Amino acid sequence: MTAHLPTTETARDLIEGFAFPFPTDQYRYSTNVEPARTPVVTPTGQWGDAVVDVDSEYRHELAERERILAADPSRYAVLDHMRPACWDTMITLMRELALARPDTMSLEALGGGAFVWTNRLLDVEQRFTLADESTLPMEPLRYIATQVQEDLVLLDQRDDDLWGDAGVVTFAADWSFGFDVGMNFLEIHGPVPRLRQTGVITRAREFIMRLQPGQVYRRTNWTLTIGRRLDVSTELYPEWGPDRPMIQTVDDETFGRLVHLRTEVQHLLRLPESGGVLFLSRTYLLPFADLATVEPWRARTAAVLADLPEDMADYKGVISYRDRAVAWLEARAPS
Amino acid sequence: MSPPIELTSVPSWAVAPSVPPADLTGTTFSVFAFGDAAEQVVDAWVGALAPSPVAVHHPSGTGAADLDADLATARVGWRAMLVGPLVEVLTLRAHALAKGLADDEIVVATTSTSLRPVRCVHCAADTVTTAGIGETTTCVCCGLELLVYHHVSRLQGVFLGFQVDAERWEGPT
Amino acid sequence: MSDRIRLVVTAIDDDVPGIRTLTLAAADGRVLPDFTPGSHVVLECDGPANAYSLTGDGTMPTTYSVSVLEVPAGAGGSRWVHGLAVGDPVIALPPRSMFAPILQGSRHVLVAGGIGITPILSHLRSAVRWGREVELLYAYRDGRGAHLDEVKELAGDRARFFTDRTSFAESLAATLADQPIGAHLYTCGPAGFMDAVVETATALGWPPSRIHLEHFGVEALDPGEPFQAVLADGRVLDVPSGVSLLEALEGAGLDVPQLCRQGVCGECRVTVRSGVPLHRDLFLSAEAKAANDSLMCCVSRAEGDRLEIDL
Ligand code: HEM
Ligand code: FES
Ligand SMILES: [Zn+2]
């Protein structure tokens, strides 16, 4: 088996900060965007007050990202014309990090385009000059990816469309960033069933194209992942694909520890100087074993999974073990 | 269960041969023609564009060098018109897009779509195959059996291929 | 709706006859929101709101500058601006960008007619900062050219100035006929002027993807006209300009489902019993809009002064 059984209990803050993705008992695709920066209170705690989120997995996930990038450089790409947008992204995210973690992070303007970035969680003090790449250890988008847990995609807006022309994506849920670079918004979403027919994705495109500097929106997306595995990219499908038949063979206790509800909290914001759009995707994983201890979450997840139409369940890759997942959750209903 | 192909990233001319009319909104034109079957299309385009000047190329390689040479002196108003079998035009279109041409400056015609270039997402090699969308082919490099997916990268000029039979579990090893 | 910005007039420049340049700073002295080159702000005045291009630098700005043409016969906006004095308060909606420089462009041809120089000036500024290749053609009536000195200083010999139509038209055609692939064209000015620029470019084979216009469209989310909403229980709610129907309903204690507040998610649909909605959302299909029996209350309003809804 390739999925690693977690040896330790799930950290408290991962349960308290989990972004539970289901507003109702039925899940269908919609243009589910809402203004960001407002906390969502949940039965265990809350999430969503910051645009970037730093939790107890911070160092671990950043190390994981470095390992993935070293093994496969195609997870990072910047088309040439996106260089100004990368600077914009870096400055924007440094400001957001400083807002989210004022105790340990700060961005100080020294005047004349010079700044100093401080991140005491990583022991970093970096001076740099805007638009001068030689003042950073690496290109700015790549650099900021060493400071945030979020995956990053930059969209260029031109020709009445949005183009995925730069990004660092190490924690993809069954898609390939390297393959998708340079596609437009509808092409990127081409593989997803229902999105075009229902108008969900054309509306999303119109919405993003009108997004203005200073506005920040967010949405959630979800799937199931076997094992605490962040990188379920299509590139590594031969590695994680066998987990899906495997999971049907394990005992109930192992099933609950291995199957995770995976939420992506995605933020969208307009970069002021370059006019680009920044798409942030932060992945949260919660084992079913923990999910089931929160009764509203257990019941709702069971209902959503049971109701999920075939095409969506197939696209999300959960079709082969969805019934077992529903049965597992239902068996844990309070008597 | 694939969505209707016209709602995906796969261009319609990559599914069945298709010949659009010449783009009369341009002012100067270069045609890049691959294979004998393209000649008829070239004649029709050149005829429709007369008396505008049309540079016709019959590249022996990918056509990238010919396109770059024309691009170096081209002025806005120029159109690149590609015609030939799918593999050749997908590849040259990708090059033209990478050079900054917009969709409304490129005309693409396919004379045949029986061969498809498929990028193995696992080892990054390209396999040219007769397998259609939803069928499988063997990666020339890593040997995995790949599903030819309904997803095309415009910048790389290839279909996405990934292992078709990854969801197999033969017990603990 | 969007958060308003409280500004004060800190300087007025009337040097060019008929054109007034306002410098505005935040009433509380803070840094103003960043903006993308080519952006405009909507200033609130007594009449319908008016959009004006920001001519200054968009990175951590301490002031916003706008230049406004006096249109004696026009709607109230321009006369209102020409009646302002230093120290007067002004309310603005946050900057909106609909005319941004194209990052992929390898060369940028800017063409301004009269007061249309205003968004072009901020393009020029950012082109100079980022070292983009740029060229400017500026046509204006003799003695009425705004920002001439600033343009000369920023652009040097990359700017050409025209006060007669014939030489402008000739230079425009010659310029547009000889641009490398990778060039983009940006134009702003009176509608007839922009039409002529687009016509020249199109005749020379320019594809739409390389031509960009500033229309000053204020678009969906302008403050709108006030109206009254009549609820199922007979209550009558005032929905003033700048307040959405959704906000008015929430203010009256109603719990309306909502998510995006932007007219895209589909949560806030409300049934209309009588009156004609003014649809401004992206969610409803054309048929649903034409039926006029529901509206998305987060952005849509009333065509007349009353709307009866099923809530
Ligand atoms: C409001 C904005 C958006 C909406 C409503 C939206 C919606 C969706 C939905 C419903 C899915 C299917 C997910 C699933 O069932 O697991 C999806 C997949 C995806 N989305 Fe988005 N999305 C939005 C923005 C974006 C942006 C800005 C990007 C950035 C490039 C993006 C990239 C993707 C990718 C790569 C996939 C996977 C497609 C594949 O299978 O290859 N999305 N999106
Ligand atoms: S709240 Fe989303 S459409 Fe009105
Ligand atoms: Zn391979």
Side-chain angles (χ1 to χ4, degrees):
Chain A
M1 138 171 113
T2 70
H4 304 291
L5 255 190
T7 48
T8 52
E9 282 185 11
T10 311
R12 261 333 297 168
D13 73 315
L14 301 187
I15 299 175
E16 290 165 2
F18 185 70
F20 186 74
F22 304 126
T24 64
D25 280 352
Q26 190 182 64
Y27 178 84
R28 293 294 182 273
Y29 293 142
S30 69
T31 311
N32 57 334
V33 289
E34 63 176 344
R37 299 189 203 280
T38 46
V40 178
V41 175
T42 68
T44 59
Q46 68 170 57
W47 63 274
D49 46 6
V51 171
V52 287
D53 183 26
V54 174
D55 64 20
S56 59
E57 290 290 290
Y58 186 58
R59 285 154 201 282
H60 171 73
E61 290 186 6
L62 292 179
E64 189 66 358
R65 171 169 293 143
E66 290 307 309
R67 187 188 60 74
I68 294 163
L69 285 167
D72 182 359
S74 73
R75 312 298 184 89
Y76 158 63
V78 176
L79 299 187
D80 249 355
H81 60 277
M82 296 304 277
R83 294 194 170 267
C86 294
W87 279 103
D88 242 0
T89 300
M90 188 186 84
I91 296 287
T92 300
L93 291 179
M94 286 175 173
R95 286 181 184 166
E96 292 297 339
L97 279 168
L99 271 179
R101 284 300 181 111
D103 49 330
T104 51
M105 306 193 197
S106 67
L107 178 67
E108 196 192 331
L110 305 173
F115 292 85
V116 55
W117 164 244
T118 308
N119 178 349
R120 279 194 272 117
L121 284 185
L122 300 177
D123 257 337
V124 164
E125 193 180 291
Q126 179 67 47
R127 283 164 187 271
F128 62 89
T129 306
L130 205 62
D132 180 355
E133 278 191 23
S134 71
T135 58
L136 282 173
M138 50 194 114
E139 181 279 318
L141 183 66
R142 178 68 183 81
Y143 182 71
I144 199 62
T146 67
Q147 309 286 307
V148 295
Q149 282 166 271
E150 283 73 14
D151 273 344
L152 312 168
V153 180
L154 299 192
L155 301 149
D156 186 20
Q157 185 161 335
R158 63 171 193 274
D159 204 3
D160 241 344
D161 218 324
L162 297 159
W163 305 83
D165 284 351
V168 180
V169 179
T170 47
F171 308 141
D174 201 0
W175 63 286
S176 165
F177 170 72
F179 189 82
D180 281 10
V181 180
M183 287 189 191
N184 66 37
F185 190 71
L186 296 185
E187 288 171 345
I188 290 171
H189 288 94
V192 188
R194 295 178 180 226
L195 278 194
R196 282 292 291 285
Q197 294 89 329
T198 51
V200 163
I201 208 66
T202 38
R203 276 200 300 280
R205 181 178 64 168
E206 294 311 309
F207 167 76
I208 299 172
M209 288 203 295
R210 294 175 184 202
L211 193 67
Q212 295 296 325
Q215 298 180 320
V216 190
Y217 283 79
R218 72 175 173 223
R219 63 179 296 268
T220 57
N221 186 35
W222 69 277
T223 189
L224 301 183
T225 299
I226 299 165
R228 192 175 175 83
R229 183 192 271 279
L230 286 164
D231 180 7
V232 277
S233 57
T234 312
E235 285 85 340
L236 295 191
Y237 184 42
E239 248 179 50
W240 54 262
D243 290 344
R244 288 174 175 169
M246 174 280 292
I247 199 67
Q248 296 163 65
T249 68
V250 301
D251 62 35
D252 273 349
E253 198 215 322
T254 312
F255 190 91
R257 288 165 71 193
L258 277 182
V259 177
H260 290 67
L261 178 57
R262 178 189 189 106
T263 306
E264 289 177 8
V265 175
Q266 304 172 340
H267 282 89
L268 282 160
L269 48 93
R270 174 76 64 182
L271 299 165
E273 169 68 26
S274 62
V277 172
L278 172 59
F279 176 69
L280 301 166
S281 181
R282 176 73 154 79
T283 298
Y284 299 93
L285 289 161
L286 190 68
F288 267 27
D290 295 305
L291 185 84
T293 64
V294 184
E295 173 51 22
W297 288 359
R298 183 207 60 77
R300 175 147 293 169
T301 307
V304 164
L305 286 176
D307 170 77
L308 199 65
E310 293 274 297
D311 56 345
M312 290 169 70
D314 184 41
Y315 172 75
K316 285 180 182 284
V318 303
I319 199 152
S320 62
Y321 61 101
R322 168 248 291 267
D323 290 348
R324 170 102 191 259
V326 172
W328 190 96
L329 288 165
E330 282 174 351
R332 275 145 196 87
S335 39
Chain B
M1 278 199 279
S2 66
I5 212 75
E6 65 277 10
L7 302 185
T8 70
S9 56
V10 182
S12 59
W13 44 260
V15 182
S18 116
V19 177
D23 180 355
L24 303 176
T25 67
T27 42
T28 56
F29 307 85
S30 294
V31 171
F32 303 86
F34 300 88
D36 295 339
E39 285 320 297
Q40 224 185 318
V41 179
V42 175
D43 291 344
W45 280 349
V46 170
L49 292 170
S52 299
V54 182
V56 180
H57 300 274
H58 295 95
S60 48
T62 61
D66 301 277
L67 188 129
D68 289 351
D70 285 7
L71 193 61
T73 54
R75 306 284 94 184
V76 174
W78 181 64
R79 300 290 187 272
M81 307 180 57
L82 323 180
V83 53
L86 177 59
V87 178
E88 282 77 3
V89 300
L90 256 184
T91 309
L92 187 56
R93 172 181 176 253
H95 180 75
L97 290 169
K99 290 283 169 168
L101 282 188
D103 276 342
D104 53 9
E105 293 171 313
I106 307 173
V107 175
V108 181
T110 40
T111 51
S112 141
T113 54
S114 51
L115 289 176
R116 245 165 299 287
V118 178
R119 167 78 40 92
C120 172
V121 72
H122 313 302
C123 79
D126 292 343
T127 300
V128 173
T129 176
T130 54
I133 296 167
E135 295 174 358
T136 67
T137 188
T138 309
C139 175
V140 288
C141 177
C142 69
L144 287 175
E145 196 62 11
L146 303 177
L147 179 74
V148 181
Y149 201 48
H150 48 268
H151 203 29
V152 166
S153 161
R154 54 165 58 230
L155 267 198
Q156 297 166 77
V158 289
F159 282 73
L160 177 66
F162 59 82
Q163 191 190 350
V164 68
D165 50 0
E167 299 193 14
R168 274 189 314 197
W169 167 247
E170 274 124 26
T173 46
Chain C
M1 272 192 199
S2 340
D3 302 322
R4 286 165 166 62
I5 310 174
R6 295 182 176 284
L7 302 166
V8 283
V9 179
T10 57
I12 291 179
D13 179 344
D14 288 329
D15 278 357
V16 180
I19 294 172
R20 165 164 280 200
T21 297
L22 295 180
T23 306
L24 304 157
D28 60 8
R30 280 198 286 191
V31 173
L32 292 162
D34 286 352
F35 63 88
T36 310
S39 293
H40 60 252
V41 280
V42 172
L43 300 184
E44 285 189 353
C45 58
D46 308 337
N50 274 281
Y52 303 107
S53 292
L54 293 165
T55 60
D57 187 337
T59 307
M60 299 194 201
T62 51
T63 58
Y64 285 163
S65 297
V66 297
S67 294
V68 182
L69 184 68
E70 192 168 18
V71 192
S78 106
R79 244 179 302 145
W80 169 78
V81 167
H82 285 260
L84 286 172
V86 170
D88 281 352
V90 172
I91 306 285
L93 298 179
R96 291 174 58 80
S97 162
M98 294 164 69
F99 184 56
I102 302 300
L103 296 174
Q104 229 188 10
S106 58
R107 192 177 164 78
H108 304 264
V109 182
L110 311 175
V111 180
I115 197 66
I117 189 65
T118 50
I120 295 291
L121 186 56
S122 77
H123 273 242
L124 184 59
R125 228 181 269 290
S126 107
V128 170
R129 159 139 21 86
W130 288 93
R132 297 187 190 118
E133 257 190 59
V134 68
E135 178 175 357
L136 168 64
L137 280 71
Y138 180 14
Y140 54 91
R141 276 201 290 146
D142 212 3
R144 294 293 187 102
H147 299 289
L148 284 173
D149 293 342
E150 236 172 325
V151 168
K152 282 179 192 154
E153 196 182 309
L154 280 166
D157 58 7
R158 291 173 291 183
R160 281 176 289 158
F161 303 90
F162 304 90
T163 49
D164 79 286
R165 280 166 189 254
T166 322
S167 65
F168 170 71
E170 280 168 8
S171 298
L172 177 70
T175 302
L176 296 184
D178 192 19
Q179 292 297 324
I181 301 287
H184 282 260
L185 167 66
Y186 308 82
T187 184
C188 184
F193 175 87
M194 292 197 291
D195 288 348
V197 173
V198 172
E199 205 174 293
T200 304
T202 305
L204 290 166
W206 282 66
S209 61
R210 298 196 182 279
I211 305 175
H212 314 284
L213 312 185
E214 170 60 307
H215 287 298
F216 290 112
V218 181
E219 285 225 323
L221 298 183
D222 70 59
E225 298 296 318
F227 65 99
Q228 289 186 321
V230 184
L231 307 187
D233 62 9
R235 265 190 293 168
V236 180
L237 299 184
D238 279 324
V239 188
S241 171
V243 173
S244 69
L245 174 55
L246 173 61
E247 287 167 332
L249 293 167
E250 288 172 339
L254 278 87
D255 192 11
V256 186
Q258 49 81 29
L259 191 60
C260 70
R261 305 177 84 93
Q262 290 277 319
V264 295
C265 76
E267 291 289 326
C268 70
R269 189 168 181 166
V270 168
T271 302
V272 173
R273 290 177 159 183
S274 74
V276 181
L278 174 64
H279 296 290
R280 313 201 298 179
D281 66 287
L282 294 167
F283 182 79
L284 295 176
S285 65
E287 302 88 87
K289 281 180 181 158
N292 279 338
D293 55 7
S294 69
L295 89 170
M296 309 312 294
C297 66
C298 61
V299 290
S300 295
R301 309 181 65 87
E303 196 68 79
D305 50 15
R306 242 172 126 83
L307 205 60
E308 214 182 314
I309 57 177
D310 208 2
L311 268 185

